[in-house]
Amino acid sequence: MDPITVATRRFLRDLDRLWKQRPDRIARLVASSGDRGHVVKAMRLAEYDPSNRRPLFVYDAAFEAVEPYFAGLCDRISTDYELVRRGVADEGVTLARFSPPARAPALSPEAHAVTVLTAASERLSSHLDGALVALLPRSIANTPAWRGSLERLSRSARPPSLRIAVLDAEEGPLSSVLGPEGARFSFDLDELLDFVEQQSDRKSEGPPVPPGPALTPQQRADFEQATGRTMPVPETAAAIQACFLEGARAAAKNDFKATAEAYRRARDLCHSEGLAAQEAGATFALGGAYLAAGARPMAQATYGQAALLAAHQQLWSIACQAKLGEAGVGWMASDFVRAARAYAEAASLAERGDIAQLRIEALRMEGLCHQHRGAEAEAIQAWRKAVDAGTAADEPARRASTFREVVTTLADLLERRGLRPQAMHLRALLGAMDVQEPKGHA
């Protein structure tokens, strides 16, 4: 069994034990930021178990300040409850509609959020067991404020129908609030890489399996002509994979110089063999290694090269992400003019590849760059493009994007500038989309 599956099962066993011991307590989900996606997948896996009768609501917004974070949580719960209600209606289950209670002036943002979550979970408990709300912030800008919020949240009374879990690092700020115990998700990267290598070299223990028919030169030529991609011979493919595995091992040990050397060998091998698509991917990985090593100018230049290589091969997703990497280096250096230009180019690449969520994010960041350099008119222009892109996108792409953040940011800016009708129109647009969105998982 692969190490990630082992880690997932162990994590879910720990979580189940925590709920049985203290169902009234906020559960601490202990994992590194890099494993955040694995935590989400594990919790979704538990949600899909036929015995589960408690829908999972995931709130993954970044924590920057108390008020907007918990206001966003209330909005998300309201939206996702409606998706659950529509979903179970197809199975003959009727849930009451949900209108979140208004916030009383004396209530803190955290206490009001508990009131809203409680109302939603009690409606669900009429036919199900309630709700599980997982707070998995993408980032935390103010750690003391985050810790204080969770202290207040943990003191708020909650019914048995409402369970809350929150992500924290092993030595994170919440151990003093929620206690050192938690459901831990962790695995050894070396073990995972060993598993991958073993699978690639694995041979059947039964009778020898005859090798599959090799491609004839004509079949190879036909494939390359149809796809526009050069096929690596098996020996070359194995050598490239070995370079990437070596780089991943070095990265796990924070030896980013060795990581860059391994990815550079992979890139050079791809180039010498005329593997343009693979060269673009290796160059993109190399840019990340340079950035991790602190070599920002090299990272910026390498990301730019990867974007060009990928765009030439019409690999729009890689091209856009590489350009986002280049822009991100400029953002880190507070070079907002250069970063804004790169984000605009990333948006253009995403548009060519019809990747709505990446286009929205690139335009959002372009707007932030303009705002930081005092060019609010250009920021508004970028954000309006992002709103247009989100409005035209299908519902799954829009939900996977930062569309809501863009609309809220633009509406707040327009309101500050006295353009209240335009701001109200944008907020109404969000509300209308929440009502119109089709059923799905929370």
Side-chain angles (χ1 to χ4, degrees), residues 91 114 155 270 274 318 329 355 372 417:
E91 301 173 11
V114 169
R155 292 196 298 266
C270 293
I318 294 177
V329 178
I355 314 170
H372 274 284
R417 299 186 80 178

Side-chain angles (χ1 to χ4, degrees), residues 90-172:
D90 283 352
E91 301 173 11
V93 177
T94 302
L95 291 173
R97 289 186 176 273
F98 179 61
S99 296
R103 179 179 168 185
L107 282 183
S108 68
E110 299 88 350
H112 174 62
V114 169
T115 300
V116 173
L117 301 184
T118 296
S121 68
E122 288 178 341
R123 280 167 175 76
L124 289 167
S125 64
S126 64
H127 291 280
L128 302 168
D129 290 340
L132 167 56
V133 179
L135 308 181
L136 308 171
R138 292 192 297 268
S139 61
I140 299 172
N142 188 331
T143 300
W146 174 244
R147 184 189 297 111
S149 280
L150 265 294
E151 285 178 345
R152 290 186 288 275
L153 194 68
S154 65
R155 292 196 298 266
S156 299
R158 299 179 301 280
S161 61
L162 173 61
R163 289 180 176 176
I164 300 177
V166 60
L167 185 66
D168 193 32
E170 182 66 50
E171 303 297 330

Side-chain angles (χ1 to χ4, degrees), residues 89-289:
D90 283 352
E91 301 173 11
V93 177
T94 302
L95 291 173
R97 289 186 176 273
F98 179 61
S99 296
R103 179 179 168 185
L107 282 183
S108 68
E110 299 88 350
H112 174 62
V114 169
T115 300
V116 173
L117 301 184
T118 296
S121 68
E122 288 178 341
R123 280 167 175 76
L124 289 167
S125 64
S126 64
H127 291 280
L128 302 168
D129 290 340
L132 167 56
V133 179
L135 308 181
L136 308 171
R138 292 192 297 268
S139 61
I140 299 172
N142 188 331
T143 300
W146 174 244
R147 184 189 297 111
S149 280
L150 265 294
E151 285 178 345
R152 290 186 288 275
L153 194 68
S154 65
R155 292 196 298 266
S156 299
R158 299 179 301 280
S161 61
L162 173 61
R163 289 180 176 176
I164 300 177
V166 60
L167 185 66
D168 193 32
E170 182 66 50
E171 303 297 330
L174 302 184
S175 59
S176 61
V177 177
L178 305 179
E181 274 196 301
R184 284 168 166 76
F185 187 99
S186 63
F187 64 92
D188 187 279
L189 184 58
D190 277 334
E191 290 182 6
L192 177 62
L193 295 173
D194 286 341
F195 179 85
V196 173
E197 287 181 330
Q198 289 165 9
Q199 295 305 300
S200 62
D201 296 336
R202 191 175 181 181
K203 293 181 174 56
S204 171
E205 295 179 0
V209 178
L215 293 177
T216 67
Q218 185 59 50
Q219 287 173 323
R220 180 180 292 273
D222 289 345
F223 175 86
E224 292 178 347
Q225 182 176 5
T227 62
R229 306 274 190 268
T230 301
M231 287 185 65
V233 298
E235 295 78 10
T236 301
I240 294 170
Q241 182 186 40
C243 289
F244 274 103
L245 287 171
E246 181 183 341
R249 287 187 186 279
K253 300 173 183 176
N254 294 325
D255 186 353
F256 298 113
K257 181 179 179 181
T259 302
E261 290 174 353
Y263 291 162
R264 192 161 45 240
R265 286 200 304 276
R267 180 201 60 184
D268 293 346
L269 179 56
C270 293
H271 181 78
S272 66
E273 296 293 323
L275 304 170
Q278 293 86 341
E279 183 184 356
T283 306
F284 179 38
L286 180 59

Side-chain angles (χ1 to χ4, degrees), residues 380-401:
I380 291 173
Q381 183 179 12
W383 288 333
R384 285 194 186 281
K385 290 180 181 177
V387 171
D388 290 342
T391 304
D394 59 28
E395 184 267 338
R398 185 166 56 245
R399 281 181 60 80
S401 74

